[in-house]
C-alpha cells in the first residue's frame, strides 16, 4: 500500500466516477491510501460516493461536477483541484451509440469522440507533464475489447476505444523512462449503467457465449490496478483472454462479420 501511494499519490483523478467501473476505481484507489478527485456530470451522485469513501477509508474525496464534452470541462476540474498534485489519472468516462453509424446524428458521434478521445487527450497532456516533472505517476486508459475487435453496430465507439488502446500502449513505452506507468485496460461486457444507455441486452446470447461473459465493475477496476506498472495492456477475465488468443490464431484475426452477428443478438430487433 505504501508503494502504491508513494508512486501514485497524493491524489488520483478519476473521470466517470459516478457509476460503474469509475465508481469501483474510486473505492479501490481510496482504500489503497490515495485521495480521490471524482469527475462526472451528476454532482449529487459524486458527492454521495465521496461521502461514503471518506466514511469507509482514511482518504479524502472531492466531487467535481463537469461535462467532459464541453471545451471548458478541464478548466472546471483545474479550478476545483486548486493545485492538488495528481499522481494517478484514470481516463474512464465514456459513452457511445449502438446501431448503424449512418443512422446516428452527427452531433452524437462528435460528442462521443469529444468524451472518449479529446477529453482524455487533454487531461493526459496536462497531468502527464506534471507527473513527468515529479518523475513518477500512473495513467489508466479505458479501452475495451471493442477497441481490439472492430465492432459493426458500434463502429464510432469501437474506433474511439481503439484510439484509447493505442494511445495508452504507445505512452507506456514513451513514458517508461519518465517514471510514469501507463496501462490500457480492455474490458469485455461489464455490468454497469452502460448496457441500458446503449440499448444492449446480452441475455439473448446463447450459452456458452453468455456464461462468464459478464464481468463485474469491481473485478475490472482491480485488474486495471494490478496491471499498472507491470504491463501495457490488460484484458480482464479468463473467457476474454481466451477469445483474444483464438482471434490471434485465426488466419486474419476475428472477422468483423462474426462480431456483427454477436452484436445483433444483443441489440433491439429492427
Ligand atoms: N460496461 C461495459 O461493458 C464496458 C466494456 C468495455 C469498456 N467500457 C468502458 O468503461 C468506461 C466506464 O463505463 P461503465 O461501464 O462504468 O459505464 P457507466 O456506468 O455508464 O459510466 C460512465 C461514466 O461516465 C460518465 N460520463 C458520461 N458522459 C460524461 C460527460 N459528458 N462528462 C463527464 N462524465 C461523463 C458518467 O457519469 P455522468 O452521467 O454522471 O456524467 C459515468 O460516471 C467507459 O469508458 C466505457 O467505454 C465499458
Amino acid at each position: 500500500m505504501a508503494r502504491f501511494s508513494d508512486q501514485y499519490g497524493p491524489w488520483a483523478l478519476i473521470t466517470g466516477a459516478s457509476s460503474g467501473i469509475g465508481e469501483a476505481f474510486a473505492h479501490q484507489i481510496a482504500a489503497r491510501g490515495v485521495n480521490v478527485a471524482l469527475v462526472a456530470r451528476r454532482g449529487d451522485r459524486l458527492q454521495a460516493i465521496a461521502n461514503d469513501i471518506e466514511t469507509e477509508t482514511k482518504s479524502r474525496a472531492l466531487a467535481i461536477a463537469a461535462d467532459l464534452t464541453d471545451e471548458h470541462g478541464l478548466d472546471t476540474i483545474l479550478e476545483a483541484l486548486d493545485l492538488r498534485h495528481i499522481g494517478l489519472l484514470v481516463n474512464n468516462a465514456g459513452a457511445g451509440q449502438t446501431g448503424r453509424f449512418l443512422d446516428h446524428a452527427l452531433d452524437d458521434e462528435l460528442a462521443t469522440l469529444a468524451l472518449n478521445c479529446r477529453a482524455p487527450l487533454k487531461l493526459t497532456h496536462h497531468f502527464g507533464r506534471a507527473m513527468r516533472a515529479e518523475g513518477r505517476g500512473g495513467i489508466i486508459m479505458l479501452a475495451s475489447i471493442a477497441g481490439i475487435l472492430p465492432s459493426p453496430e458500434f463502429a464510432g465507439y469501437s474506433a474511439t476505444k481503439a484510439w484509447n488502446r493505442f494511445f495508452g500502449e504507445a505512452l507506456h513505452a514513451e513514458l517508461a523512462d519518465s517514471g510514469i506507468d501507463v496501462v490500457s485496460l480492455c474490458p469485455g461486457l461489464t455490468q454497469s449503467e452502460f448496457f441500458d444507455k446503449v440499448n444492449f441486452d446480452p441475455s439473448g446470447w446463447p450459452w456458452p457465449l453468455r456464461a462468464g461473459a459478464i464481468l463485474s465493475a469491481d473485478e475490472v477496476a482491480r485488474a486495471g490496478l494490478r496491471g499498472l506498472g507491470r504491463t501495457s495492456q490488460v484484458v480482464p477475465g479468463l473467457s476474454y483472454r481466451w477469445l483474444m488468443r483464438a482471434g490471434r490464431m485465426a488466419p486474419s484475426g476475428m472477422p468483423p462479420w462474426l462480431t456483427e452477428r454477436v452484436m445483433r443478438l444483443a441489440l433491439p430487433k429492427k
Side-chain angles (χ1 to χ4, degrees), residues 6-255:
D6 288 348
Q7 172 69 9
Y8 307 122
W11 282 85
L13 178 65
I14 303 147
T15 66
S18 62
S19 62
I21 299 169
E23 181 178 352
F25 266 119
H27 284 279
Q28 292 183 25
I29 291 168
R32 290 171 188 227
V34 171
N35 303 312
V36 288
L38 315 176
V39 174
R41 290 166 303 181
R42 288 170 293 178
D44 50 342
R45 286 277 296 266
L46 287 180
Q47 193 54 60
I49 293 166
N51 293 345
D52 286 347
I53 286 174
E54 291 202 339
T55 309
E56 288 161 11
T57 70
K58 293 194 176 116
S59 301
R60 290 167 58 202
L62 179 70
I64 307 171
D67 184 342
L68 290 167
T69 61
D70 180 346
E71 274 285 1
H72 304 295
L74 179 60
D75 300 336
T76 309
I77 295 169
L78 294 185
E79 264 167 43
L81 283 174
D82 190 24
L83 300 182
R84 290 171 174 91
H85 177 73
I86 299 299
L88 178 60
L89 171 63
V90 185
N91 280 313
N92 165 78
Q97 296 84 45
T98 50
R100 297 272 154 142
F101 171 73
L102 293 182
D103 295 336
H104 296 156
L106 180 59
D107 281 349
D108 290 344
E109 288 287 343
L110 289 171
T112 296
L113 199 61
L115 177 66
N116 296 4
C117 302
R118 189 183 63 191
L121 185 141
K122 285 178 82 170
L123 293 170
T124 302
H125 193 261
H126 182 86
F127 293 108
R129 284 184 162 188
M131 288 177 199
R132 185 175 61 182
E134 288 262 320
R136 66 185 178 91
I139 300 169
I140 299 178
M141 300 300 302
L142 248 295
S144 169
I145 288 290
I148 301 176
L149 304 174
S151 308
E153 304 281 344
F154 219 3
Y157 172 84
S158 167
T160 66
K161 292 291 145 179
W163 181 90
N164 276 269
R165 180 167 75 88
F166 271 58
F167 189 54
E169 288 177 33
L171 288 184
H172 172 88
E174 199 173 304
L175 299 180
D177 59 6
S178 303
I180 304 172
D181 303 326
V182 187
V183 68
S184 292
L185 177 57
C186 305
L189 295 176
T190 308
Q191 194 65 56
S192 73
E193 294 179 359
F194 194 76
F195 289 179
D196 282 346
K197 288 176 189 165
V198 301
N199 263 330
F200 196 78
D201 178 12
S203 62
W205 280 355
W207 199 94
L209 200 57
R210 210 172 55 236
I214 301 190
L215 305 164
S216 75
D218 270 334
E219 69 181 302
V220 169
R222 215 171 14 256
L225 292 175
R226 208 182 302 124
L228 197 58
R230 292 204 172 100
T231 183
S232 60
Q233 187 199 90
V234 171
V235 175
L238 200 58
S239 48
Y240 287 101
R241 285 196 291 278
W242 277 48
L243 180 71
M244 291 302 99
R245 189 163 303 169
R248 273 195 297 273
M249 279 170 355
S252 50
M254 196 77 76

